[in-house]
Structures are given as C-alpha cells and as structure tokens.
Amino acid sequence: MPDWRQALHLEPPRGWLNDPNGLCCFGGLYHIFFQYCPADARGAGPKLWGHYQSPDLLHWTFTGAPLAPDTPWDKGGVYSGCAVAEGGVMRLYYTGNVKHPGAHDYIHTGREANTLLVETADGVHVSPKKLLMTNADYPADCSLHVRDPKVWREDGLWKMVLGARSLADAGRVLLYHSEDGLAWRLARVLEPAPAFGYMWECPDCFALGGRTWLSLSPQGLPHGETENQNVYQSGYFALDGGIETGTPGPFAEWDKGFDFYAPQTFETADGRRMLIGWMGMPDADYRNPTADLGWQHCLTLPREVTPGPHGLCQRPARELDALADGAPVTVDGILGGIPLPCRLNATAQGAFALTLASALELSRATPEAPVCLRFTDEALGGGRTVRRAPVDAGPLALTMVVDRSSLEIYLNGGAAVLSTRFYPGDGPVPLAVEGLTATVQPLRPMTFTGL
C-alpha cells in the first residue's frame, strides 16, 4: 500500500480534519486547533476541536481534543473560531452549532449559531463554557447562518468579526465591539452592493504593510476559467479606511489549486503574519482515497504573508529551511525518482512543462499564458482535473513543496499559489522537466508525537 501519510503537513490521527482554528503563539509554543471528527473519516460524526502544539513549527505534539459538543449551546458541533492570548490564558471563541429535528431548511429555521467562549492555560484543559451571543443578538435581517468568530484587540477595544448570510442571500461580515471581550455590541454590517456571494465564512481581519486586510471564504461566486474555479473560494480584500469604515477593494484568491479553504492568520512572536488553510474543499466532486484507510485531509504548511506588488504574497515558513537534507540535485530532462518529501526550485524564461508521477502536469503554453495544473490520470488526482493561475507575463520563478500526498506550488515569490492533494502509487515518483532550470532539495520529515 502506498505511504500517503504526510511528512510535513498536520493530519488527524484518525477520522476527519477541516478548518484550522485558534491559531496563536502562547507560552512559548505555537498552538493549532482544528475541526476534528475522530469518529468518521468522511466527517459524519460530531465535530470537535483537535489540538497540535509546537515550539518551532517543526516538532509537533498532538494533545487530543479539548473541545467537544457537550452543552445545549453546541450540541450539534464545535464549529470554527479563534484564540486570543490574554492574562496568562488563551481565550477560545467559537461557534456552537445546534440543529433541531424537523422539516427545516436550516437557513431560516431549525438552527442555532451561538458564540461561545472558553479559556485554557495549556490547550488541553478548558474552563466551563460561557454563552456570549445567540441568533437573537445578531441583526434581524440575518439568516441563521452566522459563524466563525475572529477576535483581536485594537485601539483599546476588543473587536470581533463574524461571517454571515443575510435573509436576502447576501454574504456579509458583522463587526462587534467590547470593552472586556465578554459583552458585545454591533458596530457595523459590512456588505457590498451588489452582493458578493450568498455566504461569507471564516472572516479574518489584520493589518499588514500599512493597510487593513479582510480575509474570508465566500460561497456562491460565479466561476470562470481562471477565477473562482472551485466550489467555494477563499481570498481577501484590502480595506483602505480600516474595518470600521473601509470599503472592500478587488477580491484576490489566496490559492488557485484544488484544495484550499477556510484559512486563518496569526502573528508570530517575531512579528510575522502567518497563514494556515485547510487543504481540502467542501462539497467537491473529487475524493481522497485515505478516507478508506481511516483518515482524511490535512492543513497547509504555515505560510508567511507579505505585501506584494499586486496584493499579498505567500511563502512557506522559513522554518522549513532547517529540514534541508543534503545537497540539491539538478534536474535536466528526466529524473527516475524524487525523494518525498522534497522542495523543487525552478525558473523558466518562457513556455515550460513539468510532469510529476507521469500524470500530474504543471505547464505554461506561452510566456503570457496562465500556469496550468492538470491531472491526466483519474487515480492520481482522485478525480481532480485542471486548475489555472494567471501570473505576470515573462520569466517565472517556481517553488514546489512535495509531500507524500500533497503539493504546494508557489509562483513568482508566492504572488500566486496552487495547492492540491495527489496520490502516487508504490515505488519511485518520476519527474520530467522541459523548459525549466530546476533543482530538487530532499527534506527531512517533521516530527509528530502523541498520535
């Protein structure tokens, strides 16, 4: 059986993983919580929060599932949220989902979306849960789809953004203020006209490069050949004027690949803005064969986010450099097998083609064309087909991180990114390049304990 367990990416020990939650630096450790369904690899059971921690983003310990749906406010699932370090503890804000039995559409009737808070000093032991808001506390013209709190402190206030769907099926963000992080009041409803999708999930507001940015995952956008190619999208707006009064600029997607959704950012102790996403896609028409083996999905690598000439750029966290294992190998033509995991760096002056595992093609037809990621074998891609990423015309720089069942492809310094799962068979994974100058750098696996 092929070894599809990842060497660089966080996965569930068993069962299902989706949204990253509660990302923060606290107590000298990085903490990553995530949506977790240990009972079923297809996500059919109760949703909990799982928890990983690390001193350096390279050595990870799974500590278990500190949050479970065990109150009347979250009995349908512990849904997404965030972490804020405050007074020697992490405050974990999240959505408690409740679905009532009956003939409901769960948009206008039959659902509760409660905003809850717990505290933890270690990511393992949590305080009793506090109910902060219910649907009665949200605007009257919201549907029952209100979720995914992201909380931060700014200008002497606690601030929270929630993703929502209006009764008119328009995506929106609700901004709340608080003096103590407990009692909240509505400050703004941010909803562009005309509507931009019918639902906004996983909002995240942060400052970077002298500007305010609003990240979110909108649902219901029209699809195009190079834009919004997935079922749902994840991207960001610049909010010149800030979250209080700013108007969203053009929408830019975080990732053009098959598998990326529900990202969240956090700030490292040394001031870097880091992003982690779910390397998956809800309601997709492709599959992940590891579900038959008892687990499914992973998170992306931590990515450093920096301002770029056309928006925001991403690159793998610099900590990954410490995993370099030996000298890079130059590739000119065909390499019979590459080590997994590895990092490939390449440049192209014009058209190029790269083929991995004989059936995954990354190419560019002309120096002005989009970069195309295409599977030519149904089994290798689990039903994935093609995705395209527009990039600036001219020479191209490429970095590809290849794990045992995933690729993260960064183009022109991360101005565009393509992420996908892939499932090679037993034996060597061949690589062929044409029109590229490329090197392959073997990487040591990260360390995972507590699984």
Side-chain angles (χ1 to χ4, degrees):
M1 191 70 195
D3 183 7
W4 290 327
R5 272 289 183 186
Q6 301 273 56
L8 305 175
H9 293 76
L10 296 180
E11 292 179 309
R14 65 184 186 282
W16 164 284
L17 168 151
N18 58 296
D19 302 7
N21 292 306
L23 312 182
C24 69
C25 296
F26 175 78
L29 296 171
Y30 293 98
H31 295 268
I32 296 180
F33 299 86
F34 58 92
Q35 290 278 279
Y36 183 34
C37 179
D40 188 276
R42 290 171 174 83
K47 291 288 178 63
L48 298 76
W49 272 24
H51 175 244
Y52 275 102
Q53 64 186 30
S54 171
D56 55 8
L57 299 179
L58 301 176
H59 299 82
W60 294 97
T61 300
F62 176 71
T63 71
L67 283 180
D70 54 10
T71 74
W73 311 317
D74 62 4
K75 63 183 180 181
V78 178
Y79 278 25
S80 288
C82 67
V84 183
E86 171 68 15
V89 297
M90 287 180 283
R91 288 186 171 187
L92 306 181
Y93 294 86
Y94 70 95
T95 296
N97 184 58
V98 178
K99 294 179 75 173
H100 298 289
H104 300 294
D105 66 1
Y106 299 107
I107 301 170
H108 304 97
T109 64
R111 180 186 294 272
E112 298 174 30
N114 302 306
T115 301
L116 300 172
L117 168 67
V118 301
E119 295 183 345
T120 177
D122 57 7
V124 178
H125 306 92
V126 301
S127 68
K129 297 173 179 179
K130 294 180 181 179
L131 177 64
L132 302 183
M133 290 191 287
T134 71
N135 286 91
D137 299 300
Y138 311 138
D141 64 344
C142 278
S143 74
L144 300 180
H145 281 223
V146 179
R147 53 184 173 266
D148 310 336
K150 180 65 185 290
V151 178
W152 72 102
R153 299 191 69 176
E154 180 184 356
D155 301 330
L157 281 174
W158 290 77
K159 299 186 179 183
M160 174 195 293
V161 284
L162 284 162
R165 175 179 185 168
S166 77
L167 291 174
D169 294 329
R172 52 172 43 177
V173 157
L174 312 179
L175 173 67
Y176 284 84
H177 288 172
S178 174
E179 275 70 43
D180 58 6
L182 302 174
W184 295 89
R185 63 185 181 277
L186 183 67
R188 184 188 186 191
V189 177
L190 194 165
E191 179 185 314
F196 190 75
Y198 62 78
M199 173 68 194
W200 287 2
E201 292 195 307
C202 304
D204 185 0
C205 183
F206 58 92
L208 186 65
R211 305 179 78 181
T212 299
W213 305 89
L214 178 64
S215 173
L216 50 89
S217 294
Q219 299 181 338
L221 300 185
H223 304 298
E225 186 174 275
T226 61
E227 306 300 321
N228 309 326
Q229 299 162 82
N230 286 325
V231 178
Y232 308 124
Q233 320 312 318
S234 295
Y236 59 87
F237 302 108
L239 273 181
D240 291 330
I243 188 65
E244 303 291 334
T245 61
T247 300
F251 181 73
E253 293 176 71
W254 284 114
D255 195 299
K256 295 284 190 176
F258 295 93
D259 296 277
F260 186 89
Y261 194 68
Q264 189 173 116
T265 75
F266 68 103
E267 189 173 33
T268 64
D270 59 2
R272 289 174 289 160
R273 177 60 51 176
M274 204 77 76
L275 176 144
I276 296 175
W278 171 31
M279 196 176 281
M281 180 56 56
D283 301 326
D285 60 358
Y286 36 88
R287 67 188 186 282
N288 299 300
T290 63
D292 295 333
L293 305 176
W295 82 94
Q296 186 173 189
H297 296 309
C298 68
L299 300 181
T300 68
L301 294 171
R303 301 175 179 180
E304 296 181 24
V305 180
T306 56
H310 307 302
L312 298 174
C313 293
Q314 305 161 72
R315 56 154 284 176
R318 64 194 65 176
E319 283 82 355
L320 193 71
D321 296 342
L323 299 178
D325 187 18
V329 176
T330 299
V331 184
D332 182 12
I334 298 174
L335 195 63
I338 62 172
L340 300 181
C342 68
R343 179 169 53 195
L344 182 146
N345 289 309
T347 56
Q349 299 304 311
F352 74 89
L354 179 155
T355 303
L356 185 65
S358 303
L360 190 158
E361 298 176 352
L362 187 72
S363 63
R364 192 180 196 186
T366 70
E368 294 77 32
V371 172
C372 179
L373 175 66
R374 184 187 305 273
F375 285 90
T376 60
D377 176 77
E378 197 274 345
L380 183 68
R384 292 161 178 82
T385 53
V386 61
R387 292 292 182 266
R388 298 175 177 88
V391 292
D392 287 344
L396 182 82
L398 162 70
T399 294
M400 178 188 296
V401 179
V402 188
D403 207 341
R404 291 172 182 153
S405 58
S406 69
L407 300 174
E408 296 189 38
I409 303 163
Y410 301 82
L411 305 172
N412 287 343
V417 186
L418 292 150
S419 296
T420 188
R421 303 303 301 268
F422 83 124
Y423 298 95
D426 285 322
V429 176
L431 172 69
V433 299
E434 182 179 353
L436 287 170
T437 301
T439 61
V440 173
Q441 171 70 69
L443 299 174
R444 294 190 304 277
M446 293 185 184
T447 299
F448 303 104
T449 57
L451 300 175

